[in-house]
């Protein structure tokens, strides 16, 4: 056996299902004779030695709970050489041989830094945004979307009663998938996401025509990334709609409420499979990987490859980013990005076509 003791932490924005991943990590490791140290409060906890040994009983009853009992943080200190040195010291003090880091892309950057400093680390997805290009799915996405759906269904009731337009802004950072899927599933009349330019004139024209034909209730879902986070796009859109169509419009921002709540079955299963896989990979002597779900299989992807793929998908590649990759790998990445863009486009067009 390569490892005697591993650490597990959750970092970045909390996501429903993180607890289920921790449970899977702890019990898979213990089953293989590996001790588990829970690191509390993400990388901040690693720097400041906030740790506790975890037993199988310590993770009882957490599979059904939202948030993360290991607590979390967005830790700038970890990006400094001093922070990293302290984190390594904590690993040495507790003889932590490897770490499973559960979170989103910021967490995976930390994971790669740890691996580069001699602590093999594996990343497990835990973010509501579904914004890690290498994986079809990130833990927390399904629960968050179901929460949005529940809220928008409520807004539909009031929209119908008052003959109003409800513009709802949802989280997702720079990724519009929460808005796209919930927009489709809630029968929204329009969806605005960062990936596709929003045709506001067409939206307003359509709404005016539909109102003339007797439509009372208009739901619009806006992803927070449209126009840049904090740009006020959703709120201003509601004002412009009212001005130009005469349809009374109200704006709601769902915000952090979407991050809470008990994980759905989808999230518990994905989290469990991913957490267990992370330990299996460490046992195989592997590291610097992110555990992904691709075509329903739980598979590892190199973390750096995943970063580059993300940049390519978001058109943010810089000179030199592709230097480490073969022509075949680059072609594979390009094909992947094309498929993903086509998928987003297809859903967007279908949702729009059915909004009548
Ligand atoms: O990444 C998860 C997420 O909820 C994003 O959707 C959102 O933009 C961000 O975190 C909010 O971060 P914070 O909780 O630090 O305000």
């Amino acid at each position: 056996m390569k490892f005697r003791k591993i650490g597990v932490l959750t970092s970045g924005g909390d996501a429903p299902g993180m607890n289920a991943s921790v449970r899977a990590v702890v019990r898979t490791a213990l089953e293989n004779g590996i001790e588990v140290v829970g690191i509390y409060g993400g990388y901040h906890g690693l720097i400041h030695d906030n740790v506790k040994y975890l037993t199988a009983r310590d993770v009882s009853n957490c599979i059904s709970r939202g948030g993360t009992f290991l607590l979390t943080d967005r830790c700038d200190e970890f990006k400094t050489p001093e922070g990293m040195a302290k984190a390594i010291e904590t690993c040495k003090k507790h003889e932590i041989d490897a770490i499973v880091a559960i979170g989103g892309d910021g967490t995976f950057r930390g994971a790669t830094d740890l691996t580069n400093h001699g602590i093999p680390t594996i990343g497990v997805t835990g973010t509501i945004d579904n914004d890690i290009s290498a994986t079809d799915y990130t833990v927390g996405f399904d629960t968050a979307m179901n929460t949005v759906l529940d809220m928008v269904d409520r807004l539909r009731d009031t929209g119908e009663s008052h003959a109003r337009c409800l513009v709802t802004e949802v989280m997702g950072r720079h990724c519009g998938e929460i808005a796209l899927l919930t927009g489709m599933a809630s029968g929204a009349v329009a969806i605005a996401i960062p990936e596709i330019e929003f045709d506001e004139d067409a939206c307003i024209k359509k709404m005016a025509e539909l109102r003339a034909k007797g439509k009372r209730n208009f739901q619009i879902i806006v992803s927070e990334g449209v126009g840049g986070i904090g740009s006020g796009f959703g709120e201003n859109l509601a004002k412009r709609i009212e001005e130009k169509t005469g349809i009374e419009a109200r704006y709601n921002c769902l915000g952090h409420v979407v991050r809470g709540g008990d994980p759905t079955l989808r999230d518990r299963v994905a989290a469990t499979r991913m957490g267990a896989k992370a330990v299996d990979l460490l046992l195989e002597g592997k590291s610097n990987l992110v555990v992904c779900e691709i075509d329903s299989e739980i598979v590892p992807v190199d973390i750096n490859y995943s970063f580059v793929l993300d940049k390519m998908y978001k058109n943010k590649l810089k000179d030199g980013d592709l230097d480490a990759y073969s022509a075949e790998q680059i072609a594979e990445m390009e094909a992947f990005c094309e498929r993903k863009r086509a998928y987003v486009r297809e859903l967007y067009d279908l949702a729009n076509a059915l909004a009548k």
Side-chain angles (χ1 to χ4, degrees):
M1 192 191 305
K2 199 163 162 46
F3 299 109
R4 281 182 301 116
K5 208 182 284 176
I6 64 167
V8 58
L9 60 83
T10 51
S11 159
D14 63 338
M18 280 182 158
N19 286 325
S21 282
V22 175
R23 172 182 176 273
V25 168
V26 170
R27 292 194 176 169
T28 308
L30 293 174
E31 197 56 36
N32 283 282
I34 300 168
E35 286 185 282
V36 185
V37 177
I39 299 155
Y40 283 73
Y43 291 118
H44 184 270
L46 190 61
I47 292 170
H48 297 282
D49 193 14
N50 189 2
V51 306
K52 175 183 172 293
Y53 282 80
L54 295 175
T55 66
R57 279 287 66 72
D58 288 325
V59 288
S60 289
N61 301 318
C62 74
I63 194 166
S64 60
R65 293 208 312 267
T68 161
F69 83 90
L70 277 184
L71 317 179
T72 187
D73 192 25
R74 298 193 193 279
C75 181
D76 286 336
E77 194 182 356
F78 190 65
K79 294 175 193 151
T80 66
E82 298 75 25
M84 176 56 75
K86 286 192 202 166
I88 299 295
E89 224 171 88
T90 305
C91 292
K92 286 199 178 129
K93 177 175 167 192
H94 298 284
E95 299 177 314
I96 296 171
D97 300 313
I99 287 181
V100 176
I102 302 164
D105 60 352
T107 305
F108 301 152
R109 281 180 202 287
T112 235
D113 291 345
L114 272 174
T115 304
N116 291 338
H117 283 80
I119 305 293
T121 301
I122 301 269
V124 169
T125 72
T127 168
I128 63 165
D129 300 336
N130 207 33
D131 62 345
I132 312 285
S133 300
T135 179
D136 294 343
Y137 192 77
T138 63
V139 169
F141 183 47
D142 188 61
T143 309
M145 288 194 297
N146 278 292
T147 304
V148 170
L149 209 50
D150 179 42
M151 301 292 161
V152 177
D153 286 348
R154 288 160 196 260
L155 292 169
R156 176 174 290 279
D157 293 344
T158 176
E160 187 66 25
S161 304
H162 285 264
R164 279 179 179 162
C165 167
L166 280 311
V167 177
T168 304
E169 183 181 305
V170 298
M171 281 189 168
R173 211 180 281 273
H174 306 296
C175 173
E177 288 200 31
I178 294 179
L180 177 62
L181 270 71
T182 58
M184 173 180 267
S186 62
V189 72
I191 301 168
I193 56 174
E195 292 86 341
I196 294 177
E197 200 178 333
F198 184 64
D199 189 342
E200 190 169 316
D201 291 341
C203 167
I204 285 176
K205 185 166 173 278
K206 183 178 191 175
M207 286 178 69
E209 284 167 6
L210 290 171
R211 173 51 63 92
K213 287 183 193 157
K215 186 173 170 67
R216 292 176 60 81
N217 163 40
F218 297 87
Q219 301 296 324
I220 297 183
I221 313 294
V222 172
S223 180
E224 65 175 353
V226 179
I229 294 176
S231 66
F233 175 83
E235 192 164 12
N236 292 326
L237 177 66
K239 286 183 190 146
R240 288 193 295 267
I241 285 172
E242 188 163 312
E243 275 163 27
K244 293 185 182 167
T245 64
I247 300 169
E248 223 184 344
R250 294 285 187 272
Y251 163 77
N252 289 276
C253 176
L254 298 188
H256 288 79
V257 75
V258 167
R259 284 234 300 258
D262 296 339
T264 58
L265 177 143
R266 173 79 171 97
D267 278 324
R268 295 182 203 190
V269 171
T272 300
R273 294 176 76 200
M274 288 179 178
K277 183 73 175 183
V279 176
D280 291 345
L281 291 166
L282 285 174
L283 284 168
E284 288 166 23
K286 297 182 177 153
S287 66
N288 211 33
L289 300 167
V290 52
V291 181
C292 294
E293 183 185 297
I294 302 175
D295 297 335
S296 304
E297 297 277 321
I298 303 298
V299 289
V301 172
D302 177 77
I303 288 190
N304 294 322
Y305 181 97
S306 133
F307 291 152
V308 172
L309 190 62
D310 254 348
K311 284 192 185 176
M312 184 182 274
Y313 180 65
K314 291 165 189 156
N315 294 318
K316 284 184 179 163
L317 279 176
K318 294 206 185 91
D319 282 352
D321 279 344
L322 293 173
D323 287 358
Y325 300 95
S326 66
E328 201 184 343
Q329 282 174 311
I330 295 170
E332 189 183 88
M333 287 186 208
E334 281 167 348
F336 169 88
C337 293
E338 278 314 302
R339 274 199 309 279
K340 196 166 159 86
R341 288 190 192 109
Y343 162 77
V344 168
R345 185 85 239 181
E346 185 196 324
L347 294 192
Y348 189 83
D349 289 345
L350 178 59
N352 258 329
L354 297 180
K356 303 261 184 237

